[in-house]
Amino acid sequence: MKVLVIGSGGREHAMAWKLSQSNKVNSVFVAPGNGGTHLNPKFKNIDLVDINLLADFAIEEKIDLTVIGPELPLSKGIVDLFRSKHLNIFGPTQKAAQLESSKDFAKDFMYRHKIPTAKYKTFKIPDEAHRYIDEEGAPIVIKADGLASGKGVIVAMTLKEAHDAIDFMLVDNRFGDAGAKVVIEEFLEGEEASFMVICDGKTILPLATSQDHKRLLDHDMGPNTGGMGAYSPAPIVTDEIYSKVMKEIIYPTIHGMANDGIPFTGFLYAGLMITKKGEVKTLEYNCRMGDPETQPILMRLKSDFFEMLYKSSTGHLDSTEIEWDKRTALAVVLASEGYPEAPKLNDEIHIEDRVISDSYIFHAGTIFRDNKLLTSGGRVLAVTALGDSVKEAQSKAYETINTVKFNGAQYRKDIGFRALNNN
Ligand code: AMP
Ligand code: GLY
């Protein structure tokens, strides 16, 4: 079978890596891919991002399954386009992807289906938004309605920050259309976790739990990023919390979408806030796998990833089982200097040949040019390792990091600290 993976990050490298392990798969194309997928002879990078050209490519190459990494092509309707051309693709339709591409759509959906989430209101008019903030007080959370490359959420600890965020989005239009509407939301406190499932519209297959590290610096300090490290499983998601998430969030979401006439197919990612009292609330939905959560999750997956996604894309997920490595997998992201504000690019990356068992270096912002591996993005690599304990996975990941060098590399030294405190 021939598979096409769309995207260029660490998540897509991990997906291509896992898909290529299936004995049913003989070619894996990655569009556009990165330096890591270029260097691996098992994959072939395709320099395309336009969804129409990708569909033409899939027809020409007779691709059996297309899998999408990031949200942007989903929000542009790549699934609808491929299906209209009778191409097999795994992911949500443009309408279903609104769970991620419109915060207002997602909040309205959660309210209608009684899915626990923070109290909110949506605004287009700056004066009304400012007045609401004054009434509610700080801390308070301001979210651009649309996709804003992970920068659309401001957790405002003061009223000034909240008012500034409104001016930034509604007055100065700094996110364009994506910020023409804002959701203002109650500030929730607790511990976050990532909960992902696969769905074919009817059957739900939960993936292993995980936890991300959104802040740039150790001890969860510094600005928000796309994610600086992750591990799986997340001990905070106890059996009791797991059942609660399935009952209060996942089932009502999948059934709610089906009842609304928008059946959900693809990966559904619920960003959770777990409060001290053990309540679970939905912070957000994503309609894709998380990055960097995918890297440790797929490192633990023992089942055939291709078969799971192929069966799901053809509506036969009910005949699929999933098996996980019991060990912990932990990924540490190496980012370039200046990330997230202004990442410095084009630094040469040196990776020693030394192989450390049960570890893998997934590439993200890398490119192979003039016979050199160079940095080409903010998050450069995700070094991922398996261990019998969180501590062991952590030690191995940090040992592997020592085999990588590039100027200005920055990474957190405490990935996994919550799981270690939980043990
Ligand atoms: P989102 O993209 O909606 O997940 O938001 C990005 C990050 O902002 C989350 O991972 C949380 O750390 C934080 N966040 C979002 N919504 C809230 C909320 N209602 N209360 C507290 N923090 C939040
Ligand atoms: N790591 C968070 C996300 O992928 O949205």
Side-chain angles (χ1 to χ4, degrees), residues 11 212 214 226-227 269 284 286 288-293:
R11 167 184 48 209
D212 187 12
K214 287 238 162 82
Y269 166 144
E284 61 160 345
N286 294 315
R288 50 170 177 82
M289 288 189 82
D291 190 344
E293 294 97 315

Side-chain angles (χ1 to χ4, degrees), residues 151 216-217 222-226 335-344 378 410:
K151 298 195 173 102
L216 181 71
L217 305 173
N224 257 325
T225 69
S336 48
E337 188 179 328
Y339 177 72
E341 278 89 16
K344 187 168 162 276
Q410 53 165 334

Side-chain angles (χ1 to χ4, degrees), residues 55-200:
D56 293 344
F57 171 79
I59 293 169
E60 216 165 282
E61 271 298 331
K62 298 194 173 58
I63 298 290
D64 296 289
L65 174 70
T66 299
V67 182
I68 303 125
E71 60 278 17
L72 199 61
L74 296 171
S75 72
K76 288 186 174 160
I78 191 168
V79 171
D80 312 67
L81 176 71
F82 271 51
R83 285 188 186 157
S84 74
K85 295 179 187 288
H86 308 289
L87 289 162
N88 197 30
I89 186 161
F90 178 75
T93 60
Q94 187 174 34
K95 270 193 174 165
Q98 287 176 100
L99 281 180
E100 174 167 4
S101 64
S102 167
K103 301 267 187 208
D104 181 44
F105 176 91
K107 296 296 283 192
D108 174 65
F109 172 84
M110 286 189 264
Y111 260 66
R112 281 192 294 108
H113 294 282
K114 303 195 169 42
I115 295 164
T117 187
K119 184 182 116 180
Y120 83 108
K121 265 197 172 167
T122 302
F123 296 90
K124 282 185 185 163
I125 299 171
D127 282 352
E128 291 176 6
H130 286 303
R131 210 172 312 130
Y132 182 72
I133 287 169
D134 284 332
E135 278 162 27
E136 294 293 314
I140 194 159
V141 182
I142 319 294
K143 298 185 175 183
D145 173 55
L147 297 177
S149 315
K151 298 195 173 102
V153 175
I154 313 281
V155 180
M157 298 315 285
T158 62
L159 282 177
K160 179 171 185 322
E161 281 174 82
H163 288 301
D164 287 350
I166 293 299
D167 288 340
F168 189 85
M169 295 184 203
L170 289 184
V171 180
D172 302 335
N173 287 321
R174 297 290 280 274
F175 291 137
D177 280 352
K181 225 176 359 178
V182 298
V183 164
I184 304 184
E185 192 174 281
E186 168 198 8
F187 172 79
L188 298 175
E189 266 178 295
E191 193 171 324
E192 289 180 51
S194 308
F195 201 100
M196 289 167 226
V197 303
I198 291 179
C199 188
D200 65 357

